[in-house]
Amino acid sequence: MSTVIVTGCAGFIGSHLCDRLLASGHEVIGLDAMTGNYPRWVKERNLRAAAGHPKFHFMEVDLCAGDLEELARRAAVVFHLAALPGVRSSWGTSFADYLGGNVLATQRLLETVKNLDAIRRPTVVYASSSSVYGDMEGPLAEDAPTSPRSPYGVSKLAAEQLCRLYASEFGIRAVSLRYFTVFGPRQRPDMAVHRFIRAALCSQPVTVYGDGEQTRDFTYVGDVVDANLAAAELGRAGDVFNIGGGNRASVNDLLAIIESVCSVAVQRQVCPAQPGDVRRTYADMEKAAARLAFRPQVGLTEGIERQVADMRRLYGRQS
Ligand code: UGA
């Protein structure tokens, strides 16, 4: 059992990863800036299980400012999930925050690791994104051209390139995982599945961007946790893997499943397609299957049922 760091530990994916690592006996140092991109109480709720665990050590820290050297020296792995997420909100003046939270924070972390004695350097597992591809016909393998459609995608790709660079120049074992629209309990409140379920539970209308026929390769959060553990064990310096759930569905399909699971009809308000939004995502999963033995386990309806159960508790509705 080793000591590991999880950055972004209070977030959606980070908090699930902490729970799993603690359950496996690891000592977990959880770092989070508790950025106000969504309410602090939701992030604290994400951390509730981990916070009570004797092997969990939480530090509120901004990776752009804090000194991580002592912590990094103790860790076998840094799971780097801290980021400012959100595709459609990354235009305009907010890009400065994306540069800091996604690019500079990653560069500072990699520098910290680089400056350690080679024998002390932890593996870095970086949370990249399907948004690095842009609007391409799938299925997309990892060597497909990258062409982000949003400033957010540009920032995630820049940080991924930094991982590649620190791997090739300094031998740092940095592995990038490109996640495809992750869903499940604790999903961020700005994401489609969360918004649609909340609307269904609270009898509110939803906003559908464009014709709703855009598709995503939805990936269950527990599968993403599996991928992180496999990457820490089996990934090599500079590796990049797609992590897709094999659950391709349109926004309209998604809404129909949520209506069925919640047994309600949801009123739709149609808005224009949003800048930065890609038409489709579709992961080629051959490489992750071959190298990480990664096979997603949870289908869309099952995962939505689990998210609905969690959100009934979140919004105080047991019915
Ligand atoms: C998601 C995450 O938000 C990103 O952080 C992540 O990097 C990315 O997946 C990824 O794959 O890497 P996105 O696919 O845009 O981005 O996920 P959602 O915000 O859940 O949106 C999914 C689709 O639903 C989009 O086409 C969006 O336009 C649509 N949508 C979203 C609506 O029609 N209405 C809404 O209210 C929200």
PDB file of all heavy atoms in Angstrom, residues 171-206:
ATOM      1  N   GLY A 171      11.998  11.868 -18.742  1.00  0.00           N
ATOM      2  CA  GLY A 171      11.678  10.485 -18.356  1.00  0.00           C
ATOM      3  C   GLY A 171      10.600  10.369 -17.304  1.00  0.00           C
ATOM      4  O   GLY A 171      10.438   9.308 -16.682  1.00  0.00           O
ATOM      5  N   ILE A 172       9.853  11.442 -17.079  1.00  0.00           N
ATOM      6  CA  ILE A 172       8.790  11.363 -16.071  1.00  0.00           C
ATOM      7  C   ILE A 172       7.693  10.432 -16.584  1.00  0.00           C
ATOM      8  O   ILE A 172       7.278  10.514 -17.750  1.00  0.00           O
ATOM      9  CB  ILE A 172       8.237  12.774 -15.768  1.00  0.00           C
ATOM     10  CG1 ILE A 172       9.320  13.546 -15.013  1.00  0.00           C
ATOM     11  CG2 ILE A 172       6.924  12.711 -14.981  1.00  0.00           C
ATOM     12  CD1 ILE A 172       9.008  14.965 -14.774  1.00  0.00           C
ATOM     13  N   ARG A 173       7.249   9.557 -15.703  1.00  0.00           N
ATOM     14  CA  ARG A 173       6.211   8.589 -16.105  1.00  0.00           C
ATOM     15  C   ARG A 173       4.857   9.290 -16.021  1.00  0.00           C
ATOM     16  O   ARG A 173       4.135   9.166 -15.041  1.00  0.00           O
ATOM     17  CB  ARG A 173       6.295   7.364 -15.200  1.00  0.00           C
ATOM     18  CG  ARG A 173       5.473   6.203 -15.681  1.00  0.00           C
ATOM     19  CD  ARG A 173       5.871   4.940 -14.929  1.00  0.00           C
ATOM     20  NE  ARG A 173       4.848   3.936 -15.085  1.00  0.00           N
ATOM     21  CZ  ARG A 173       4.140   3.411 -14.090  1.00  0.00           C
ATOM     22  NH1 ARG A 173       4.358   3.799 -12.845  1.00  0.00           N
ATOM     23  NH2 ARG A 173       3.216   2.505 -14.330  1.00  0.00           N
ATOM     24  N   ALA A 174       4.570  10.066 -17.051  1.00  0.00           N
ATOM     25  CA  ALA A 174       3.298  10.802 -17.101  1.00  0.00           C
ATOM     26  C   ALA A 174       2.399  10.138 -18.140  1.00  0.00           C
ATOM     27  O   ALA A 174       2.814   9.927 -19.283  1.00  0.00           O
ATOM     28  CB  ALA A 174       3.536  12.259 -17.473  1.00  0.00           C
ATOM     29  N   VAL A 175       1.185   9.803 -17.731  1.00  0.00           N
ATOM     30  CA  VAL A 175       0.233   9.075 -18.582  1.00  0.00           C
ATOM     31  C   VAL A 175      -1.034   9.916 -18.690  1.00  0.00           C
ATOM     32  O   VAL A 175      -1.567  10.360 -17.671  1.00  0.00           O
ATOM     33  CB  VAL A 175      -0.117   7.710 -17.943  1.00  0.00           C
ATOM     34  CG1 VAL A 175      -1.066   6.917 -18.826  1.00  0.00           C
ATOM     35  CG2 VAL A 175       1.143   6.913 -17.633  1.00  0.00           C
ATOM     36  N   SER A 176      -1.525  10.134 -19.906  1.00  0.00           N
ATOM     37  CA  SER A 176      -2.738  10.945 -20.087  1.00  0.00           C
ATOM     38  C   SER A 176      -3.922  10.059 -20.450  1.00  0.00           C
ATOM     39  O   SER A 176      -3.821   9.191 -21.327  1.00  0.00           O
ATOM     40  CB  SER A 176      -2.532  11.973 -21.208  1.00  0.00           C
ATOM     41  OG  SER A 176      -1.545  12.910 -20.835  1.00  0.00           O
ATOM     42  N   LEU A 177      -5.045  10.313 -19.783  1.00  0.00           N
ATOM     43  CA  LEU A 177      -6.291   9.587 -20.061  1.00  0.00           C
ATOM     44  C   LEU A 177      -7.304  10.574 -20.626  1.00  0.00           C
ATOM     45  O   LEU A 177      -7.652  11.550 -19.954  1.00  0.00           O
ATOM     46  CB  LEU A 177      -6.840   8.957 -18.774  1.00  0.00           C
ATOM     47  CG  LEU A 177      -5.900   8.006 -18.029  1.00  0.00           C
ATOM     48  CD1 LEU A 177      -6.582   7.465 -16.773  1.00  0.00           C
ATOM     49  CD2 LEU A 177      -5.456   6.860 -18.939  1.00  0.00           C
ATOM     50  N   ARG A 178      -7.762  10.307 -21.831  1.00  0.00           N
ATOM     51  CA  ARG A 178      -8.759  11.194 -22.455  1.00  0.00           C
ATOM     52  C   ARG A 178     -10.153  10.680 -22.125  1.00  0.00           C
ATOM     53  O   ARG A 178     -10.623   9.697 -22.705  1.00  0.00           O
ATOM     54  CB  ARG A 178      -8.558  11.224 -23.972  1.00  0.00           C
ATOM     55  CG  ARG A 178      -7.256  11.884 -24.377  1.00  0.00           C
ATOM     56  CD  ARG A 178      -7.032  11.823 -25.892  1.00  0.00           C
ATOM     57  NE  ARG A 178      -5.822  12.550 -26.262  1.00  0.00           N
ATOM     58  CZ  ARG A 178      -5.223  12.463 -27.440  1.00  0.00           C
ATOM     59  NH1 ARG A 178      -5.741  11.666 -28.389  1.00  0.00           N
ATOM     60  NH2 ARG A 178      -4.143  13.164 -27.703  1.00  0.00           N
ATOM     61  N   TYR A 179     -10.804  11.336 -21.194  1.00  0.00           N
ATOM     62  CA  TYR A 179     -12.143  10.919 -20.767  1.00  0.00           C
ATOM     63  C   TYR A 179     -13.200  11.427 -21.736  1.00  0.00           C
ATOM     64  O   TYR A 179     -13.131  12.552 -22.219  1.00  0.00           O
ATOM     65  CB  TYR A 179     -12.502  11.490 -19.396  1.00  0.00           C
ATOM     66  CG  TYR A 179     -11.521  11.206 -18.296  1.00  0.00           C
ATOM     67  CD1 TYR A 179     -11.302  12.136 -17.299  1.00  0.00           C
ATOM     68  CD2 TYR A 179     -10.829  10.007 -18.236  1.00  0.00           C
ATOM     69  CE1 TYR A 179     -10.413  11.893 -16.274  1.00  0.00           C
ATOM     70  CE2 TYR A 179      -9.939   9.755 -17.216  1.00  0.00           C
ATOM     71  CZ  TYR A 179      -9.728  10.711 -16.242  1.00  0.00           C
ATOM     72  OH  TYR A 179      -8.841  10.470 -15.233  1.00  0.00           O
ATOM     73  N   PHE A 180     -14.224  10.591 -21.907  1.00  0.00           N
ATOM     74  CA  PHE A 180     -15.348  10.964 -22.775  1.00  0.00           C
ATOM     75  C   PHE A 180     -16.599  11.162 -21.905  1.00  0.00           C
ATOM     76  O   PHE A 180     -17.132  10.213 -21.333  1.00  0.00           O
ATOM     77  CB  PHE A 180     -15.593   9.859 -23.822  1.00  0.00           C
ATOM     78  CG  PHE A 180     -14.581   9.867 -24.937  1.00  0.00           C
ATOM     79  CD1 PHE A 180     -13.253   9.530 -24.705  1.00  0.00           C
ATOM     80  CD2 PHE A 180     -14.962  10.220 -26.222  1.00  0.00           C
ATOM     81  CE1 PHE A 180     -12.319   9.560 -25.737  1.00  0.00           C
ATOM     82  CE2 PHE A 180     -14.035  10.247 -27.261  1.00  0.00           C
ATOM     83  CZ  PHE A 180     -12.715   9.918 -27.017  1.00  0.00           C
ATOM     84  N   THR A 181     -17.059  12.382 -21.784  1.00  0.00           N
ATOM     85  CA  THR A 181     -18.289  12.795 -21.068  1.00  0.00           C
ATOM     86  C   THR A 181     -18.669  11.817 -19.937  1.00  0.00           C
ATOM     87  O   THR A 181     -19.504  10.942 -20.111  1.00  0.00           O
ATOM     88  CB  THR A 181     -19.457  13.002 -22.056  1.00  0.00           C
ATOM     89  OG1 THR A 181     -18.984  13.792 -23.152  1.00  0.00           O
ATOM     90  CG2 THR A 181     -20.617  13.751 -21.394  1.00  0.00           C
ATOM     91  N   VAL A 182     -18.059  12.052 -18.797  1.00  0.00           N
ATOM     92  CA  VAL A 182     -18.227  11.147 -17.649  1.00  0.00           C
ATOM     93  C   VAL A 182     -19.535  11.482 -16.914  1.00  0.00           C
ATOM     94  O   VAL A 182     -19.887  12.659 -16.770  1.00  0.00           O
ATOM     95  CB  VAL A 182     -17.008  11.270 -16.713  1.00  0.00           C
ATOM     96  CG1 VAL A 182     -17.083  10.238 -15.590  1.00  0.00           C
ATOM     97  CG2 VAL A 182     -15.715  11.093 -17.505  1.00  0.00           C
ATOM     98  N   PHE A 183     -20.227  10.449 -16.473  1.00  0.00           N
ATOM     99  CA  PHE A 183     -21.481  10.653 -15.748  1.00  0.00           C
ATOM    100  C   PHE A 183     -21.558   9.665 -14.586  1.00  0.00           C
ATOM    101  O   PHE A 183     -20.739   8.765 -14.466  1.00  0.00           O
ATOM    102  CB  PHE A 183     -22.697  10.499 -16.689  1.00  0.00           C
ATOM    103  CG  PHE A 183     -22.988   9.055 -17.050  1.00  0.00           C
ATOM    104  CD1 PHE A 183     -24.079   8.395 -16.510  1.00  0.00           C
ATOM    105  CD2 PHE A 183     -22.149   8.340 -17.897  1.00  0.00           C
ATOM    106  CE1 PHE A 183     -24.341   7.064 -16.808  1.00  0.00           C
ATOM    107  CE2 PHE A 183     -22.388   7.006 -18.196  1.00  0.00           C
ATOM    108  CZ  PHE A 183     -23.479   6.358 -17.655  1.00  0.00           C
ATOM    109  N   GLY A 184     -22.570   9.874 -13.723  1.00  0.00           N
ATOM    110  CA  GLY A 184     -22.747   8.998 -12.566  1.00  0.00           C
ATOM    111  C   GLY A 184     -22.932   9.859 -11.318  1.00  0.00           C
ATOM    112  O   GLY A 184     -22.931  11.087 -11.395  1.00  0.00           O
ATOM    113  N   PRO A 185     -23.107   9.215 -10.139  1.00  0.00           N
ATOM    114  CA  PRO A 185     -23.293   9.965  -8.899  1.00  0.00           C
ATOM    115  C   PRO A 185     -22.219  11.029  -8.720  1.00  0.00           C
ATOM    116  O   PRO A 185     -21.056  10.782  -9.013  1.00  0.00           O
ATOM    117  CB  PRO A 185     -23.180   8.879  -7.817  1.00  0.00           C
ATOM    118  CG  PRO A 185     -23.607   7.615  -8.508  1.00  0.00           C
ATOM    119  CD  PRO A 185     -23.135   7.757  -9.924  1.00  0.00           C
ATOM    120  N   ARG A 186     -22.624  12.201  -8.212  1.00  0.00           N
ATOM    121  CA  ARG A 186     -21.758  13.371  -7.948  1.00  0.00           C
ATOM    122  C   ARG A 186     -21.373  14.110  -9.229  1.00  0.00           C
ATOM    123  O   ARG A 186     -20.474  14.957  -9.201  1.00  0.00           O
ATOM    124  CB  ARG A 186     -20.478  12.998  -7.179  1.00  0.00           C
ATOM    125  CG  ARG A 186     -20.719  12.233  -5.915  1.00  0.00           C
ATOM    126  CD  ARG A 186     -19.386  11.925  -5.231  1.00  0.00           C
ATOM    127  NE  ARG A 186     -19.536  10.880  -4.223  1.00  0.00           N
ATOM    128  CZ  ARG A 186     -18.533  10.194  -3.699  1.00  0.00           C
ATOM    129  NH1 ARG A 186     -17.283  10.444  -4.068  1.00  0.00           N
ATOM    130  NH2 ARG A 186     -18.756   9.271  -2.799  1.00  0.00           N
ATOM    131  N   GLN A 187     -21.993  13.806 -10.346  1.00  0.00           N
ATOM    132  CA  GLN A 187     -21.614  14.522 -11.570  1.00  0.00           C
ATOM    133  C   GLN A 187     -21.754  16.025 -11.375  1.00  0.00           C
ATOM    134  O   GLN A 187     -22.677  16.490 -10.698  1.00  0.00           O
ATOM    135  CB  GLN A 187     -22.488  14.078 -12.753  1.00  0.00           C
ATOM    136  CG  GLN A 187     -21.914  14.530 -14.085  1.00  0.00           C
ATOM    137  CD  GLN A 187     -22.920  14.469 -15.233  1.00  0.00           C
ATOM    138  OE1 GLN A 187     -24.089  14.796 -15.042  1.00  0.00           O
ATOM    139  NE2 GLN A 187     -22.474  14.067 -16.402  1.00  0.00           N
ATOM    140  N   ARG A 188     -20.885  16.789 -11.994  1.00  0.00           N
ATOM    141  CA  ARG A 188     -20.898  18.261 -11.872  1.00  0.00           C
ATOM    142  C   ARG A 188     -22.264  18.821 -12.246  1.00  0.00           C
ATOM    143  O   ARG A 188     -22.869  18.382 -13.232  1.00  0.00           O
ATOM    144  CB  ARG A 188     -19.850  18.882 -12.803  1.00  0.00           C
ATOM    145  CG  ARG A 188     -18.436  18.681 -12.404  1.00  0.00           C
ATOM    146  CD  ARG A 188     -17.502  19.630 -13.156  1.00  0.00           C
ATOM    147  NE  ARG A 188     -17.985  20.096 -14.422  1.00  0.00           N
ATOM    148  CZ  ARG A 188     -17.613  19.617 -15.624  1.00  0.00           C
ATOM    149  NH1 ARG A 188     -16.742  18.638 -15.719  1.00  0.00           N
ATOM    150  NH2 ARG A 188     -18.088  20.129 -16.724  1.00  0.00           N
ATOM    151  N   PRO A 189     -22.708  19.833 -11.505  1.00  0.00           N
ATOM    152  CA  PRO A 189     -24.054  20.363 -11.745  1.00  0.00           C
ATOM    153  C   PRO A 189     -24.244  21.042 -13.097  1.00  0.00           C
ATOM    154  O   PRO A 189     -25.379  21.240 -13.527  1.00  0.00           O
ATOM    155  CB  PRO A 189     -24.230  21.398 -10.619  1.00  0.00           C
ATOM    156  CG  PRO A 189     -23.239  21.025  -9.578  1.00  0.00           C
ATOM    157  CD  PRO A 189     -22.094  20.368 -10.290  1.00  0.00           C
ATOM    158  N   ASP A 190     -23.154  21.419 -13.776  1.00  0.00           N
ATOM    159  CA  ASP A 190     -23.310  22.097 -15.070  1.00  0.00           C
ATOM    160  C   ASP A 190     -23.468  21.112 -16.226  1.00  0.00           C
ATOM    161  O   ASP A 190     -23.757  21.519 -17.352  1.00  0.00           O
ATOM    162  CB  ASP A 190     -22.098  23.005 -15.346  1.00  0.00           C
ATOM    163  CG  ASP A 190     -20.795  22.218 -15.390  1.00  0.00           C
ATOM    164  OD1 ASP A 190     -20.340  21.764 -14.324  1.00  0.00           O
ATOM    165  OD2 ASP A 190     -20.250  22.019 -16.502  1.00  0.00           O
ATOM    166  N   MET A 191     -23.281  19.825 -15.973  1.00  0.00           N
ATOM    167  CA  MET A 191     -23.277  18.866 -17.089  1.00  0.00           C
ATOM    168  C   MET A 191     -24.685  18.393 -17.436  1.00  0.00           C
ATOM    169  O   MET A 191     -25.608  18.430 -16.625  1.00  0.00           O
ATOM    170  CB  MET A 191     -22.365  17.688 -16.759  1.00  0.00           C
ATOM    171  CG  MET A 191     -20.906  18.116 -16.672  1.00  0.00           C
ATOM    172  SD  MET A 191     -19.780  16.753 -16.365  1.00  0.00           S
ATOM    173  CE  MET A 191     -19.850  15.875 -17.938  1.00  0.00           C
ATOM    174  N   ALA A 192     -24.833  17.914 -18.681  1.00  0.00           N
ATOM    175  CA  ALA A 192     -26.170  17.629 -19.216  1.00  0.00           C
ATOM    176  C   ALA A 192     -26.928  16.599 -18.376  1.00  0.00           C
ATOM    177  O   ALA A 192     -28.101  16.813 -18.052  1.00  0.00           O
ATOM    178  CB  ALA A 192     -26.055  17.146 -20.665  1.00  0.00           C
ATOM    179  N   VAL A 193     -26.295  15.481 -18.022  1.00  0.00           N
ATOM    180  CA  VAL A 193     -27.038  14.435 -17.307  1.00  0.00           C
ATOM    181  C   VAL A 193     -27.548  14.993 -15.976  1.00  0.00           C
ATOM    182  O   VAL A 193     -28.708  14.795 -15.607  1.00  0.00           O
ATOM    183  CB  VAL A 193     -26.162  13.173 -17.087  1.00  0.00           C
ATOM    184  CG1 VAL A 193     -26.954  12.105 -16.356  1.00  0.00           C
ATOM    185  CG2 VAL A 193     -25.642  12.634 -18.414  1.00  0.00           C
ATOM    186  N   HIS A 194     -26.686  15.729 -15.274  1.00  0.00           N
ATOM    187  CA  HIS A 194     -27.098  16.313 -13.986  1.00  0.00           C
ATOM    188  C   HIS A 194     -28.259  17.301 -14.202  1.00  0.00           C
ATOM    189  O   HIS A 194     -29.277  17.234 -13.504  1.00  0.00           O
ATOM    190  CB  HIS A 194     -25.903  17.026 -13.348  1.00  0.00           C
ATOM    191  CG  HIS A 194     -26.168  17.517 -11.956  1.00  0.00           C
ATOM    192  ND1 HIS A 194     -25.494  17.055 -10.850  1.00  0.00           N
ATOM    193  CD2 HIS A 194     -27.040  18.435 -11.470  1.00  0.00           C
ATOM    194  CE1 HIS A 194     -25.937  17.652  -9.762  1.00  0.00           C
ATOM    195  NE2 HIS A 194     -26.871  18.512 -10.119  1.00  0.00           N
ATOM    196  N   ARG A 195     -28.106  18.183 -15.165  1.00  0.00           N
ATOM    197  CA  ARG A 195     -29.163  19.188 -15.405  1.00  0.00           C
ATOM    198  C   ARG A 195     -30.492  18.529 -15.755  1.00  0.00           C
ATOM    199  O   ARG A 195     -31.549  18.951 -15.300  1.00  0.00           O
ATOM    200  CB  ARG A 195     -28.762  20.098 -16.555  1.00  0.00           C
ATOM    201  CG  ARG A 195     -27.701  21.101 -16.201  1.00  0.00           C
ATOM    202  CD  ARG A 195     -27.493  21.999 -17.388  1.00  0.00           C
ATOM    203  NE  ARG A 195     -26.553  23.056 -17.101  1.00  0.00           N
ATOM    204  CZ  ARG A 195     -26.344  24.076 -17.913  1.00  0.00           C
ATOM    205  NH1 ARG A 195     -27.002  24.180 -19.048  1.00  0.00           N
ATOM    206  NH2 ARG A 195     -25.473  25.003 -17.599  1.00  0.00           N
ATOM    207  N   PHE A 196     -30.417  17.487 -16.581  1.00  0.00           N
ATOM    208  CA  PHE A 196     -31.651  16.843 -17.050  1.00  0.00           C
ATOM    209  C   PHE A 196     -32.328  16.084 -15.894  1.00  0.00           C
ATOM    210  O   PHE A 196     -33.546  16.117 -15.760  1.00  0.00           O
ATOM    211  CB  PHE A 196     -31.370  15.904 -18.222  1.00  0.00           C
ATOM    212  CG  PHE A 196     -30.949  16.602 -19.506  1.00  0.00           C
ATOM    213  CD1 PHE A 196     -30.598  15.856 -20.632  1.00  0.00           C
ATOM    214  CD2 PHE A 196     -30.908  17.987 -19.600  1.00  0.00           C
ATOM    215  CE1 PHE A 196     -30.215  16.482 -21.822  1.00  0.00           C
ATOM    216  CE2 PHE A 196     -30.519  18.620 -20.780  1.00  0.00           C
ATOM    217  CZ  PHE A 196     -30.170  17.869 -21.890  1.00  0.00           C
ATOM    218  N   ILE A 197     -31.533  15.406 -15.077  1.00  0.00           N
ATOM    219  CA  ILE A 197     -32.126  14.681 -13.939  1.00  0.00           C
ATOM    220  C   ILE A 197     -32.715  15.679 -12.938  1.00  0.00           C
ATOM    221  O   ILE A 197     -33.822  15.488 -12.432  1.00  0.00           O
ATOM    222  CB  ILE A 197     -31.089  13.757 -13.260  1.00  0.00           C
ATOM    223  CG1 ILE A 197     -30.664  12.643 -14.213  1.00  0.00           C
ATOM    224  CG2 ILE A 197     -31.651  13.162 -11.964  1.00  0.00           C
ATOM    225  CD1 ILE A 197     -29.534  11.753 -13.696  1.00  0.00           C
ATOM    226  N   ARG A 198     -31.989  16.745 -12.676  1.00  0.00           N
ATOM    227  CA  ARG A 198     -32.507  17.752 -11.729  1.00  0.00           C
ATOM    228  C   ARG A 198     -33.843  18.293 -12.230  1.00  0.00           C
ATOM    229  O   ARG A 198     -34.801  18.444 -11.466  1.00  0.00           O
ATOM    230  CB  ARG A 198     -31.494  18.885 -11.554  1.00  0.00           C
ATOM    231  CG  ARG A 198     -31.940  19.947 -10.528  1.00  0.00           C
ATOM    232  CD  ARG A 198     -30.855  20.998 -10.308  1.00  0.00           C
ATOM    233  NE  ARG A 198     -30.447  21.580 -11.575  1.00  0.00           N
ATOM    234  CZ  ARG A 198     -29.266  22.140 -11.809  1.00  0.00           C
ATOM    235  NH1 ARG A 198     -28.365  22.204 -10.850  1.00  0.00           N
ATOM    236  NH2 ARG A 198     -28.971  22.642 -12.995  1.00  0.00           N
ATOM    237  N   ALA A 199     -33.901  18.567 -13.538  1.00  0.00           N
ATOM    238  CA  ALA A 199     -35.155  19.081 -14.105  1.00  0.00           C
ATOM    239  C   ALA A 199     -36.281  18.060 -13.933  1.00  0.00           C
ATOM    240  O   ALA A 199     -37.416  18.414 -13.567  1.00  0.00           O
ATOM    241  CB  ALA A 199     -34.954  19.405 -15.582  1.00  0.00           C
ATOM    242  N   ALA A 200     -35.953  16.788 -14.171  1.00  0.00           N
ATOM    243  CA  ALA A 200     -36.977  15.739 -14.038  1.00  0.00           C
ATOM    244  C   ALA A 200     -37.451  15.614 -12.589  1.00  0.00           C
ATOM    245  O   ALA A 200     -38.648  15.470 -12.325  1.00  0.00           O
ATOM    246  CB  ALA A 200     -36.407  14.394 -14.526  1.00  0.00           C
ATOM    247  N   LEU A 201     -36.522  15.709 -11.640  1.00  0.00           N
ATOM    248  CA  LEU A 201     -36.893  15.544 -10.221  1.00  0.00           C
ATOM    249  C   LEU A 201     -37.618  16.775  -9.673  1.00  0.00           C
ATOM    250  O   LEU A 201     -38.398  16.672  -8.735  1.00  0.00           O
ATOM    251  CB  LEU A 201     -35.642  15.279  -9.372  1.00  0.00           C
ATOM    252  CG  LEU A 201     -34.883  13.980  -9.638  1.00  0.00           C
ATOM    253  CD1 LEU A 201     -33.668  13.873  -8.711  1.00  0.00           C
ATOM    254  CD2 LEU A 201     -35.779  12.761  -9.482  1.00  0.00           C
ATOM    255  N   CYS A 202     -37.328  17.934 -10.251  1.00  0.00           N
ATOM    256  CA  CYS A 202     -37.870  19.190  -9.709  1.00  0.00           C
ATOM    257  C   CYS A 202     -38.958  19.775 -10.616  1.00  0.00           C
ATOM    258  O   CYS A 202     -39.335  20.942 -10.446  1.00  0.00           O
ATOM    259  CB  CYS A 202     -36.759  20.200  -9.505  1.00  0.00           C
ATOM    260  SG  CYS A 202     -35.450  19.624  -8.401  1.00  0.00           S
ATOM    261  N   SER A 203     -39.447  18.989 -11.579  1.00  0.00           N
ATOM    262  CA  SER A 203     -40.518  19.428 -12.493  1.00  0.00           C
ATOM    263  C   SER A 203     -40.184  20.766 -13.160  1.00  0.00           C
ATOM    264  O   SER A 203     -40.993  21.693 -13.176  1.00  0.00           O
ATOM    265  CB  SER A 203     -41.849  19.558 -11.729  1.00  0.00           C
ATOM    266  OG  SER A 203     -42.123  18.367 -11.049  1.00  0.00           O
ATOM    267  N   GLN A 204     -38.982  20.849 -13.684  1.00  0.00           N
ATOM    268  CA  GLN A 204     -38.550  22.056 -14.393  1.00  0.00           C
ATOM    269  C   GLN A 204     -38.294  21.708 -15.859  1.00  0.00           C
ATOM    270  O   GLN A 204     -38.062  20.545 -16.184  1.00  0.00           O
ATOM    271  CB  GLN A 204     -37.249  22.593 -13.780  1.00  0.00           C
ATOM    272  CG  GLN A 204     -37.419  23.138 -12.379  1.00  0.00           C
ATOM    273  CD  GLN A 204     -36.072  23.314 -11.675  1.00  0.00           C
ATOM    274  OE1 GLN A 204     -35.029  22.882 -12.164  1.00  0.00           O
ATOM    275  NE2 GLN A 204     -36.119  23.928 -10.502  1.00  0.00           N
ATOM    276  N   PRO A 205     -38.303  22.713 -16.748  1.00  0.00           N
ATOM    277  CA  PRO A 205     -37.952  22.430 -18.145  1.00  0.00           C
ATOM    278  C   PRO A 205     -36.444  22.273 -18.321  1.00  0.00           C
ATOM    279  O   PRO A 205     -35.678  22.745 -17.481  1.00  0.00           O
ATOM    280  CB  PRO A 205     -38.446  23.685 -18.887  1.00  0.00           C
ATOM    281  CG  PRO A 205     -38.482  24.756 -17.863  1.00  0.00           C
ATOM    282  CD  PRO A 205     -38.678  24.112 -16.520  1.00  0.00           C
ATOM    283  N   VAL A 206     -36.036  21.604 -19.392  1.00  0.00           N
ATOM    284  CA  VAL A 206     -34.607  21.542 -19.738  1.00  0.00           C
ATOM    285  C   VAL A 206     -34.345  22.394 -20.966  1.00  0.00           C
ATOM    286  O   VAL A 206     -35.260  22.666 -21.749  1.00  0.00           O
ATOM    287  CB  VAL A 206     -34.130  20.095 -20.047  1.00  0.00           C
ATOM    288  CG1 VAL A 206     -34.239  19.210 -18.828  1.00  0.00           C
ATOM    289  CG2 VAL A 206     -34.856  19.515 -21.242  1.00  0.00           C
TER     290      VAL A 206
END
